[in-house]
Amino acid sequence: MKLSIGIVGLPNVGKSTLFNALLKKQVANVANYPFCTIEPNVGIIEVPDERLPVLAKIVNTTKIVPAVVEFYDIAGLVRGASTGAGLGNKFLSHIREVAAIVHVVRLFEDKNVAHVSDKIDAKDDIKTIETELILADLDTLNKQKEPKGDGASKEAKAAWEVFKKIKDNLDKGIPVRNQSLTDEEKQLLKPLNFLTLKPVIYVFNVSEDQLQKQETTRQKIIEILDETTNGRDHSMHLCAKMESEIVILTPEEQKEYLKQFDLEESGLNRLIKKAYETLGLISFLTAGEIEARAWTIAKGTLAPQAAGTIHTDFEKHFIKADVIPYEKFVEAGGWTKARERGLVSTVGKDYEMKDGEVVEFKVNA
């Protein structure tokens, strides 16, 4: 499953600093992955997973393949983007392709970094971008034509009713993701790829001083989100400037540095994990002589469909799967001893995969 995240924000909020920090993280590790050609505005970043090196040691392989996230640096958003201002049209076309949006919001004060509105006002910044996305969705809706006559399908008529419902709410400033819609209604909306239906993670870019004052900063963010999104969306905070500086340190050096801020891991790692959580994704693991690898699936995925992420033929020819929780696999020291101790479960087509399970799929040749 492809996980793509678009980074958006007004000018001078730290969006590019954050993206460049992610690129440094990518460049440091890219040799480990089967990816070579990467566009300048796309960063392919590993999902931090401490389990993989442990599995690799147990099964005696040197090849580790983590799950990855694609981050897109989406440029050109200014007030009026929905009508083509700035690079508005390019912005909108790029954002339609991503699974979720990271909205970088500026909280830090720095007289050397100008703000597009000449003042730091996170609430206004959030509303500006939300308004542009809502206006773009309304433009999409206004281009739809009501299905009439005997030739109109039942599905087209049902979709039209949903369009009318969401338009009323968009006119009131309510994004589609915060509207009460059934799964069936969301499915009918899927072909139009509404921007405000995409999950949003608000990333508040703070100063190192604000990072030191964790509780004060958290309370400020809660207040901002309560007033702008009713606290419904995912959020976190980090210092993009600091992230761009510490990304060149070793993991051990990073941990030591972050202790002064009472943080256990970097903001970049927290962001990637937050993206997984926001999209309802989990990883299952495979471990053998060839490689130790993490595979991305949605929560609720059944075993045959999980097998299909490895190869489409695996889903078609699925017979069963051997599964074991990661902790038990490590405790046993590998497949052989785990089977001897009866720790491995054999499951069928109706089994729902769980995060962190080590799996071997059995398929017809």
Side-chain angles (χ1 to χ4, degrees), residues 70-109:
E70 289 184 1
F71 279 94
Y72 286 72
D73 185 22
I74 298 174
L77 183 61
V78 293
R79 200 182 298 270
S82 58
T83 55
L87 295 173
N89 292 330
K90 186 177 181 182
F91 157 79
L92 294 174
S93 65
H94 283 171
I95 204 170
R96 287 191 196 282
E97 303 307 315
V98 299
I101 297 168
V102 163
H103 180 174
V104 181
V105 183
R106 178 173 171 176
L107 273 191
F108 70 88
E109 298 272 359

Side-chain angles (χ1 to χ4, degrees), residues 31-98:
N32 292 331
Y33 315 140
F35 299 102
C36 300
T37 306
I38 299 166
E39 294 178 41
N41 67 327
V42 183
I44 298 178
I45 319 300
E46 69 170 277
V47 176
D49 197 330
E50 301 82 4
R51 300 170 298 196
L52 290 174
V54 178
L55 290 180
K57 192 172 181 181
I58 290 171
V59 297
N60 197 27
T61 183
T62 56
K63 187 176 180 183
I64 294 173
V65 185
V68 295
V69 184
E70 289 184 1
F71 279 94
Y72 286 72
D73 185 22
I74 298 174
L77 183 61
V78 293
R79 200 182 298 270
S82 58
T83 55
L87 295 173
N89 292 330
K90 186 177 181 182
F91 157 79
L92 294 174
S93 65
H94 283 171
I95 204 170
R96 287 191 196 282
E97 303 307 315
V98 299

Side-chain angles (χ1 to χ4, degrees), residues 162-306:
V162 183
F163 293 165
K164 288 194 293 184
K165 175 180 173 180
I166 68 165
K167 186 179 186 303
D168 286 343
N169 284 314
L170 284 169
D171 283 333
K172 295 172 188 172
I174 304 170
V176 181
R177 69 181 176 277
N178 290 343
Q179 296 182 27
S180 298
L181 297 169
T182 65
D183 289 340
E184 290 77 11
E185 288 173 328
K186 287 178 184 176
Q187 198 62 33
L188 290 168
L189 296 178
K190 209 169 182 181
L192 294 184
N193 218 352
F194 287 104
L195 300 178
T196 65
L197 184 55
K198 297 179 186 296
V200 175
I201 304 167
Y202 290 98
V203 175
F204 290 85
N205 189 11
V206 303
S207 64
E208 289 196 22
D209 183 55
Q210 288 168 318
L211 206 58
Q212 292 274 16
K213 300 168 183 173
Q214 289 279 358
E215 195 51 41
T216 303
T217 301
R218 281 196 196 97
Q219 287 305 317
K220 187 173 183 178
I221 290 170
I222 289 168
E223 176 198 324
I224 291 166
L225 291 176
D226 280 345
E227 288 192 34
T228 53
T229 72
N230 293 321
R232 293 184 183 183
D233 293 300
H234 296 264
S235 69
M236 59 171 286
H237 63 277
L238 51 74
C239 175
K241 181 174 178 290
M242 186 185 78
E243 294 294 330
S244 68
E245 292 167 353
I246 69 167
V247 75
I248 60 172
L249 303 177
T250 66
E252 291 73 24
E253 289 170 336
Q254 283 188 30
K255 282 183 180 177
E256 193 61 37
Y257 185 86
L258 291 168
K259 275 182 186 176
Q260 64 186 297
F261 301 100
D262 290 325
L263 294 170
E264 293 184 3
E265 59 182 341
S266 73
L268 298 184
N269 285 0
R270 288 184 287 120
L271 174 56
I272 296 163
K273 290 177 180 178
K274 179 69 76 174
Y276 243 53
E277 174 193 325
T278 302
L279 289 171
L281 301 175
I282 59 173
S283 295
F284 71 86
L285 311 167
T286 54
E289 290 179 6
I290 297 175
E291 64 185 18
R293 184 165 185 159
W295 304 84
T296 303
I297 55 173
K299 283 180 187 172
T301 298
L302 300 181
Q305 287 71 54

